[in-house]
Amino acid sequence: MILLAVILMLSGLVIINAIYAYHTKHIDSHFLSTLSYFIKQVPFFLSASMMIGYGVKFLTKIVDNLTFSLIASKGLEILVSVAIGLIFFKEVPSWRTAMGIIIILVDFWVLKGK
């Protein structure tokens, strides 16, 4: 069940971050082209939001802690954002990114220890 929760959250986060990254790189910044792009993306946003919602719900059932589930989702979002930045923009993470991820992992450990 925990694997399902993580897969759902990761899938939804990848979809949403990829939509925004593609928009930033490939869609003209004029209002009508941006509006047209986002109208076409509504089904993807809906499915991604449901995936993230169910992932958080399933993880909350497993760990019995909503705060932990939401922080885990944000941690996954940071990892997905780093990966999408690398894929779409060829941005190599710096040591600051690594330190931020380490701080988040320590926070998980402290939160789960309570």
Side-chain angles (χ1 to χ4, degrees):
M1 188 81 148
I2 194 162
L3 185 61
L4 176 63
V6 171
I7 288 172
L8 283 170
M9 283 190 286
L10 276 175
S11 300
L13 291 167
V14 166
I15 290 169
I16 288 175
N17 283 288
I19 287 170
Y20 283 120
Y22 185 85
H23 169 255
T24 301
K25 188 165 184 171
H26 297 291
I27 304 299
D28 189 21
S29 62
H30 291 88
F31 179 76
L32 291 178
S33 58
T34 300
L35 179 64
S36 171
Y37 173 74
F38 280 111
I39 287 172
K40 293 173 188 171
Q41 301 307 316
V42 167
F44 295 107
F45 277 114
L46 177 63
S47 61
S49 295
M50 289 186 69
M51 287 179 197
I52 295 168
Y54 274 106
V56 169
K57 182 178 182 168
F58 292 156
L59 189 60
T60 302
K61 275 187 172 180
I62 294 166
V63 298
D64 198 33
N65 189 339
L66 178 62
T67 303
F68 177 80
S69 299
L70 293 173
I71 292 172
S73 176
K74 290 299 176 189
L76 287 174
E77 184 175 3
I78 290 170
L79 294 176
V80 167
S81 297
V82 168
I84 294 290
L86 186 61
I87 293 167
F88 276 89
F89 302 108
K90 308 296 186 241
E91 292 177 355
V92 179
S94 67
W95 66 271
R96 291 182 197 126
T97 307
M99 288 303 297
I101 292 171
I102 290 169
I103 289 169
I104 291 168
L105 292 174
V106 169
D107 290 343
F108 284 150
W109 179 69
V110 168
L111 180 65
K112 194 61 180 159
K114 288 185 175 184

Short mmCIF file of all heavy atoms in Angstrom, two decimals, residues 23-39:
data_model
loop_
_atom_site.label_atom_id
_atom_site.label_comp_id
_atom_site.label_asym_id
_atom_site.label_seq_id
_atom_site.Cartn_x
_atom_site.Cartn_y
_atom_site.Cartn_z
N HIS A 23 5.60 24.42 -20.47
CA HIS A 23 5.04 25.76 -20.72
C HIS A 23 6.15 26.81 -20.70
O HIS A 23 6.22 27.67 -21.57
CB HIS A 23 3.98 26.08 -19.68
CG HIS A 23 3.54 27.50 -19.69
ND1 HIS A 23 3.94 28.40 -18.74
CD2 HIS A 23 2.77 28.19 -20.56
CE1 HIS A 23 3.42 29.58 -19.01
NE2 HIS A 23 2.70 29.48 -20.11
N THR A 24 7.01 26.72 -19.71
CA THR A 24 8.08 27.70 -19.57
C THR A 24 9.03 27.67 -20.75
O THR A 24 9.48 28.72 -21.22
CB THR A 24 8.87 27.44 -18.27
OG1 THR A 24 7.96 27.51 -17.17
CG2 THR A 24 9.98 28.43 -18.08
N LYS A 25 9.30 26.49 -21.26
CA LYS A 25 10.30 26.36 -22.31
C LYS A 25 9.73 26.50 -23.72
O LYS A 25 10.38 27.05 -24.60
CB LYS A 25 11.00 25.01 -22.18
CG LYS A 25 12.19 24.87 -23.09
CD LYS A 25 13.06 23.74 -22.71
CE LYS A 25 14.28 23.75 -23.62
NZ LYS A 25 15.28 22.82 -23.21
N HIS A 26 8.51 26.03 -23.96
CA HIS A 26 8.03 25.90 -25.34
C HIS A 26 6.80 26.73 -25.72
O HIS A 26 6.50 26.85 -26.90
CB HIS A 26 7.71 24.43 -25.65
CG HIS A 26 8.91 23.55 -25.56
ND1 HIS A 26 9.94 23.61 -26.46
CD2 HIS A 26 9.24 22.59 -24.67
CE1 HIS A 26 10.86 22.71 -26.14
NE2 HIS A 26 10.46 22.08 -25.05
N ILE A 27 6.07 27.25 -24.77
CA ILE A 27 4.83 27.97 -25.09
C ILE A 27 5.09 29.47 -25.04
O ILE A 27 5.69 29.98 -24.10
CB ILE A 27 3.69 27.58 -24.11
CG1 ILE A 27 3.46 26.08 -24.12
CG2 ILE A 27 2.41 28.34 -24.44
CD1 ILE A 27 3.04 25.51 -25.45
N ASP A 28 4.61 30.16 -26.08
CA ASP A 28 4.76 31.61 -26.16
C ASP A 28 4.09 32.26 -24.95
O ASP A 28 3.06 31.79 -24.47
CB ASP A 28 4.12 32.09 -27.46
CG ASP A 28 4.41 33.55 -27.74
OD1 ASP A 28 5.39 34.07 -27.19
OD2 ASP A 28 3.66 34.14 -28.53
N SER A 29 4.65 33.35 -24.46
CA SER A 29 4.14 33.97 -23.23
C SER A 29 2.94 34.88 -23.46
O SER A 29 2.45 35.50 -22.52
CB SER A 29 5.25 34.75 -22.54
OG SER A 29 5.70 35.79 -23.40
N HIS A 30 2.44 34.97 -24.68
CA HIS A 30 1.24 35.78 -24.92
C HIS A 30 0.03 35.13 -24.26
O HIS A 30 -0.06 33.90 -24.15
CB HIS A 30 1.01 35.94 -26.42
CG HIS A 30 2.04 36.81 -27.06
ND1 HIS A 30 3.21 36.30 -27.53
CD2 HIS A 30 2.07 38.14 -27.28
CE1 HIS A 30 3.94 37.29 -28.03
NE2 HIS A 30 3.28 38.42 -27.89
N PHE A 31 -0.89 35.95 -23.85
CA PHE A 31 -2.03 35.49 -23.05
C PHE A 31 -2.83 34.39 -23.74
O PHE A 31 -3.14 33.36 -23.14
CB PHE A 31 -2.95 36.67 -22.70
CG PHE A 31 -4.15 36.26 -21.90
CD1 PHE A 31 -4.04 35.96 -20.57
CD2 PHE A 31 -5.39 36.15 -22.51
CE1 PHE A 31 -5.14 35.56 -19.82
CE2 PHE A 31 -6.49 35.75 -21.78
CZ PHE A 31 -6.37 35.45 -20.44
N LEU A 32 -3.20 34.58 -25.01
CA LEU A 32 -4.07 33.62 -25.68
C LEU A 32 -3.40 32.27 -25.90
O LEU A 32 -4.05 31.23 -25.74
CB LEU A 32 -4.59 34.19 -27.00
CG LEU A 32 -5.59 35.33 -26.85
CD1 LEU A 32 -6.00 35.86 -28.23
CD2 LEU A 32 -6.81 34.91 -26.06
N SER A 33 -2.13 32.26 -26.23
CA SER A 33 -1.45 30.97 -26.40
C SER A 33 -1.29 30.26 -25.06
O SER A 33 -1.44 29.04 -24.97
CB SER A 33 -0.10 31.15 -27.08
OG SER A 33 0.72 32.02 -26.35
N THR A 34 -1.04 31.02 -24.00
CA THR A 34 -0.95 30.43 -22.66
C THR A 34 -2.31 29.90 -22.22
O THR A 34 -2.41 28.79 -21.70
CB THR A 34 -0.44 31.47 -21.65
OG1 THR A 34 0.85 31.91 -22.07
CG2 THR A 34 -0.34 30.90 -20.26
N LEU A 35 -3.36 30.67 -22.44
CA LEU A 35 -4.71 30.23 -22.09
C LEU A 35 -5.09 28.96 -22.84
O LEU A 35 -5.60 28.00 -22.26
CB LEU A 35 -5.72 31.34 -22.39
CG LEU A 35 -7.18 31.03 -22.09
CD1 LEU A 35 -7.39 30.78 -20.59
CD2 LEU A 35 -8.08 32.15 -22.59
N SER A 36 -4.81 28.93 -24.13
CA SER A 36 -5.11 27.76 -24.95
C SER A 36 -4.37 26.53 -24.42
O SER A 36 -4.93 25.44 -24.31
CB SER A 36 -4.73 28.03 -26.40
OG SER A 36 -4.81 26.87 -27.16
N TYR A 37 -3.10 26.70 -24.09
CA TYR A 37 -2.30 25.59 -23.58
C TYR A 37 -2.89 25.04 -22.28
O TYR A 37 -3.05 23.83 -22.13
CB TYR A 37 -0.86 26.05 -23.37
CG TYR A 37 0.02 25.03 -22.69
CD1 TYR A 37 0.46 23.91 -23.38
CD2 TYR A 37 0.40 25.18 -21.37
CE1 TYR A 37 1.26 22.97 -22.76
CE2 TYR A 37 1.19 24.24 -20.74
CZ TYR A 37 1.62 23.14 -21.44
OH TYR A 37 2.41 22.20 -20.82
N PHE A 38 -3.22 25.94 -21.36
CA PHE A 38 -3.72 25.47 -20.07
C PHE A 38 -5.13 24.89 -20.15
O PHE A 38 -5.47 24.00 -19.38
CB PHE A 38 -3.62 26.57 -19.01
CG PHE A 38 -2.24 26.70 -18.44
CD1 PHE A 38 -1.46 27.81 -18.71
CD2 PHE A 38 -1.70 25.69 -17.67
CE1 PHE A 38 -0.18 27.92 -18.21
CE2 PHE A 38 -0.42 25.79 -17.15
CZ PHE A 38 0.34 26.90 -17.42
N ILE A 39 -5.94 25.37 -21.06
CA ILE A 39 -7.27 24.75 -21.26
C ILE A 39 -7.10 23.31 -21.72
O ILE A 39 -7.82 22.41 -21.27
CB ILE A 39 -8.12 25.59 -22.23
CG1 ILE A 39 -8.58 26.87 -21.55
CG2 ILE A 39 -9.32 24.79 -22.73
CD1 ILE A 39 -9.26 27.87 -22.46
#
